[in-house]
Amino acid sequence: MTAKTASKPTPMMQQYLGLKQEAQDCLLFYRMGDFFELFFEDAKVAASVLDIALTARGEHDGEPVPMCGVPVHAAEAYLARLIKAGCRVAIAEQVETPEEAKARAKREGTPSSKALVKRDIVRFVTAGTLTEDALLEPRRANVLVALAQVRDSVGLASCDISTGAMLLEDCTEDGLSAALARLGASEVVVPEDWKLGPDEAIVHDASDFASESGQSRLLAIHDVATLDGFGDFSRAMLAAAGGLIAYMEHVGRGKLPLLLPPALRSSGQIMAMDEATRASLEILTSQSGNREHSLIASIDRCSTGAGARLLAEDLSAPLLEQNAIEGRLALVQWLHDDPLMRAELREALRAQPDFARALGRLAAERGSPRDLGQIRDGLSGARQIHDFLSHQADQPELLQNLMPALTGHNALIDQLTQALVASPPTERSSGGYIAEGYDASLDELRSISGNARRAIAAMEARYRDDTGIASLKIKHNGVLGYFIEVPSRHGDTLMAPDSGFTHRQTMKGAVRFNSIALHEEATRIAQAGGQAIAAEEAHFATLVRLVIEARETIAATAAAMARIDVSAGQAERAAEGAWCRPEISQDLALDIREGRHPVVEAALAKTSERFVANDCALSESDRLWLIGGPNMGGKSTFLRQNALIILLAQAGGFVPASRARIGLVDRLFSRVGASDNLARGRSTFMVEMVETAAILAQASERSFVILDEVGRGTSTYDGLALAWAVAEAVHSQISCRCLFATHYHELARLSDSCEALSLHHVRAREWKGDLILLHEVASGAADQSYGLAVARLAGVPAPVVKRAKQVLAKLEETRTETGGLAAGLGGLPLFDAAGSDDDELDDPARALVTELAELDVDALSPREALDHLYAIAKRAKSTKS
């Protein structure tokens, strides 16, 4: 058997392999005619993800080359699926025409028949650098984040490339995961060999992550001499900005997208929430990973995609500054109190295009005539909304601050209105988007083209009369241009030498011809059409330049419209659900009357069920509620609903309650419903303990903590001990507001030693053997857990439940005899164990400590004291050995 001889790669394959080396770990879309082709491993990956046929083309190193392809006209849809699957794609386009390739080959002395069209990677398509509507979710921001560390500080530079909004901030190493969870990045870029980034982060040249580089890049982009007008940025922030901009230049092949002046965010401006808390509260996504059944899905009443994106940002970063919160609440109140005005405003907002993203596409040189039309319509709509709102009385301060941004674009609106047709197309290659009357010379070219087409129609009629062939037609296609077509049976008539027609092509059932007159008219049409398209291209470039020159003010208008939309949506949701305006205070109170869980209430409403509202009143003298009761009784819902009410209030919205007074919360913690993390080798209990440890280490007096069944994942004694110690620590060391749900009835004894702890339970009753869950939170300890009744409800077989009753009766008999699990804990001083390391000592060492503690030093003479000291030292040495 002979080995296959490796053949030399063809010129096309050599070109492909060179581009693939440049693309590195990205899939390479290699343009061939009307298709993007993929080869080798790229083809296998793409075929699997896209569910398309995997074929083969030629050989490489003696093996068939795997291959698949997607049509260019449908590439965006395929790109969207690849990006969603976690792939990154490099687009290799033809950068010269076949004619140019042949001319180049001739200059180089190469046979023109072997001329290979040049191709180059024109763009990298990655999750965080998308701008096309087809690849983006309208109601979700698409955030790219770069990280850089300078000493003990980690800088974060984030940008939504689709709108150009850029944010700089920094945090500690410990706070990085929480910051990334808040930003919800689609893609994270880190320096090479940096160990703190997330596992899925993209690495980039570390030399670009330098504060000097970041500063110089920002100065150049915004054409300023100093960044002081934007904010006081730290070195870590600037280093991250440098890496972010360098990465964007890389994926754009030297072209930068729209970048607005960076905004500074400090940690003291927003409520802190770690990743576990965000997941537990299901703020932007539910446990399934989808938007459905999340908090934002239940409250989003925004009329525009930009408003929905801003609402998500508000919920991700609730405010800490009382005046800023009150400003948002005042605007929501103003819109809430006038339903007719709100309805008219929301109707106007629904007609608004997403012109913030249209601006981003135009700045990234991926824009279309339709994007210019969206800028025109968006700015015009903003002006109309300004005129409408300016006639409304008692405008709140926030609205007064937003109003100026809605106007000031009259000249640009007029220019775009005059230049563009009412509904511009998405493609500009065929022209037709510049309005008639805007350019007289363009109108003349169109007239020539139109007259020529009418001339061709007249020519067709004349040829029919001259030849007597009624079925003769003049047609057009992209290969032959204009041609005369007759059925095959009439072909001989036009083939005659003196007919005046020239044979072009014989088809099955038809014959095609040309004529001198048709050629002349076709030439006239082509010339006029080409000149018209070139004129429209020139106008397009001019209009785009005018828009880009006004990019910052246009972006400010879009941002103002989004804020108004959020406020109107919040007012609408409040009116729907009879929500109240929360009172924000600087004290440590939390007084919520008839609070509800917005997501659960909305779900119950679909089945016409009523949500049971509950009160929650915490204060400095009653700051920890210990809540017992049966499973399914509503403990977890009660915990979460109060956390969500705090979040909604500090995000600047109304809350699902009849009344709410909320002392500002600096950090929100939720340890509810932990699950295992097999990827990191953590069991459910380990995850629970990690989350609990984070709370104990990071919570402050102003924090709000919800804890659900701490200690449930281990043995009963260990679990009770941990729950007891955690409750004591939250009460006596942290002293924060806390709701603590538990099934350990023994924890009720803590109310004897913890003066700011009170006992509560969710009510339930058994009726004729059935468990009735009332979902009401009442004062006092729970009398029982109803675990067996819940098991019966869940469908546990009756014999198993019966046997469990027998075991329970025996256990309760033993508990009565011994005093139960917590016997003796009532006399345990708070954190006695934490104040002594006695349990760490062995028996001889403990004896020495006891002897020292019992020694009356004042009663000893100097000689006796010295004798005792020698004796103790001798025993200590023997113990050590």
Side-chain angles (χ1 to χ4, degrees), residues 192 237 349 351 442 526 774 793 805:
E192 289 175 319
M237 296 179 196
L349 286 167
L442 174 60
L774 303 177
L793 279 176
K805 282 185 178 179

Side-chain angles (χ1 to χ4, degrees), residues 494-725:
L494 274 63
M495 288 280 192
D498 57 349
S499 67
F501 297 97
T502 305
H503 177 256
R504 294 288 302 277
Q505 192 176 35
T506 298
M507 308 290 292
K508 182 179 180 181
V511 186
R512 292 172 175 176
F513 299 87
N514 199 358
S515 72
I516 295 175
L518 177 60
H519 177 71
E520 291 174 349
E521 290 296 339
T523 301
R524 203 161 24 247
I525 290 173
Q527 289 176 344
Q531 291 171 357
I533 289 175
E536 291 201 59
E537 280 288 330
H539 287 307
F540 179 82
T542 300
L543 295 172
V544 169
R545 179 177 53 79
L546 292 174
V547 168
I548 299 305
E549 288 174 354
R551 61 188 178 277
E552 291 185 20
T553 56
I554 294 173
T557 301
M561 293 284 282
R563 175 53 64 195
I564 292 171
D565 186 24
V566 169
S567 300
Q570 289 272 40
E572 185 72 14
R573 184 65 183 92
E576 286 177 11
W579 292 11
C580 74
R581 175 177 177 173
E583 177 188 346
I584 307 298
S585 67
Q586 292 289 342
D587 57 26
L588 299 179
L590 180 65
D591 188 4
I592 298 170
R593 301 299 173 179
E594 296 181 320
R596 288 109 63 198
H597 192 299
V599 181
V600 177
E601 184 179 33
L604 290 174
K606 293 178 180 178
T607 57
S608 301
E609 296 182 65
R610 183 180 66 89
F611 185 92
V612 178
N614 281 293
D615 298 345
C616 180
L618 301 180
S619 63
E620 291 190 57
S621 60
D622 186 16
R623 59 179 177 268
L624 194 158
W625 278 19
L626 198 64
I627 306 168
N631 288 311
M632 303 289 293
K635 296 190 301 298
S636 297
T637 299
F638 178 71
L639 266 59
R640 285 189 173 105
Q641 79 185 34
N642 288 290
L644 291 176
I645 286 172
I646 292 171
L647 186 152
L648 286 169
Q650 292 190 212
F654 281 28
V655 299
S658 62
R659 190 172 78 249
R661 183 171 182 270
I662 296 169
L664 284 171
V665 170
D666 66 346
R667 300 182 73 100
L668 191 60
F669 291 98
S670 172
R671 208 237 53 76
V672 180
S675 59
D676 57 20
N677 189 331
L678 300 180
R680 294 190 178 182
R682 292 175 176 174
S683 66
T684 301
F685 180 68
M686 182 61 176
V687 171
E688 175 186 316
M689 288 297 100
V690 168
E691 295 174 4
T692 303
I695 293 171
L696 297 176
Q698 299 171 21
S700 73
E701 183 184 42
R702 190 165 281 283
S703 300
F704 181 72
V705 176
I706 58 174
L707 294 164
D708 189 14
E709 298 186 38
V710 172
R712 64 179 171 176
T714 185
S715 72
T716 303
Y717 282 98
D718 283 355
L720 173 59
L722 283 166
W724 187 292

Side-chain angles (χ1 to χ4, degrees), residues 65-76:
V65 178
M67 170 185 170
C68 69
V70 300
V72 171
H73 69 85
E76 281 192 353

Side-chain angles (χ1 to χ4, degrees), residues 346-403:
R346 283 168 52 77
E347 184 67 27
L349 286 167
R350 273 191 285 273
Q352 282 292 102
D354 197 343
F355 65 102
R357 283 187 164 173
L359 177 63
R361 288 189 290 273
L362 290 168
E365 299 183 20
R366 300 170 196 159
S368 68
R370 179 172 293 178
D371 291 320
L372 285 175
Q374 290 187 342
I375 297 292
R376 173 198 62 195
D377 297 342
L379 295 179
S380 178
R383 183 172 62 185
Q384 293 171 9
I385 288 174
H386 172 275
D387 295 343
F388 169 70
L389 292 176
S390 63
H391 293 100
Q392 308 300 321
D394 303 320
Q395 295 178 10
E397 182 180 358
L398 178 55
L399 181 59
Q400 293 175 21
N401 294 336
L402 294 172
M403 290 288 280

Side-chain angles (χ1 to χ4, degrees), residues 716 804-821:
T716 303
K805 282 185 178 179
Q806 297 171 351
V807 175
L808 176 63
K810 188 66 176 177
L811 290 173
E812 288 182 337
E813 179 184 334
T814 305
R815 181 175 65 182
T816 303
E817 294 173 357
T818 63
L821 291 176

Side-chain angles (χ1 to χ4, degrees), residues 215-354:
Q215 182 174 16
S216 62
R217 288 175 184 273
L218 287 172
L219 291 173
I221 289 170
H222 300 293
D223 193 23
V224 293
T226 176
L227 298 177
D228 293 347
F230 302 145
D232 184 15
F233 303 119
S234 69
R235 287 187 60 203
M237 296 179 196
L238 293 173
L244 180 74
I245 297 170
Y247 180 73
M248 287 190 289
E249 284 181 337
H250 164 70
V251 298
R253 302 297 281 174
K255 296 179 182 178
L256 278 175
L258 173 65
L259 287 179
L260 299 173
L264 173 66
R265 171 179 279 168
S266 68
S267 58
Q269 293 176 318
I270 56 174
M271 177 198 293
M273 289 181 282
D274 59 24
E275 185 176 6
T277 297
R278 294 176 187 277
S280 170
L281 297 180
E282 301 177 290
I283 300 171
L284 300 184
T285 57
S286 64
Q287 297 289 353
S288 64
N290 300 318
R291 196 176 194 265
E292 188 179 10
H293 304 309
S294 66
L295 173 65
I296 192 170
S298 72
I299 71 167
D300 181 6
R301 298 297 182 271
C302 293
S303 301
T304 68
R309 297 194 296 269
L310 182 58
L311 175 62
E313 186 177 332
D314 288 350
L315 297 178
S316 296
L319 301 175
L320 287 182
E321 210 279 306
Q322 184 174 357
N323 289 337
I325 298 171
E326 295 288 3
R328 291 183 185 178
L329 290 172
L331 181 52
V332 175
Q333 179 85 63
W334 186 73
L335 293 165
H336 175 273
D337 293 347
D338 192 337
L340 294 178
M341 182 264 287
R342 184 176 73 249
E344 192 170 344
L345 172 63
R346 283 168 52 77
E347 184 67 27
L349 286 167
R350 273 191 285 273
Q352 282 292 102
D354 197 343

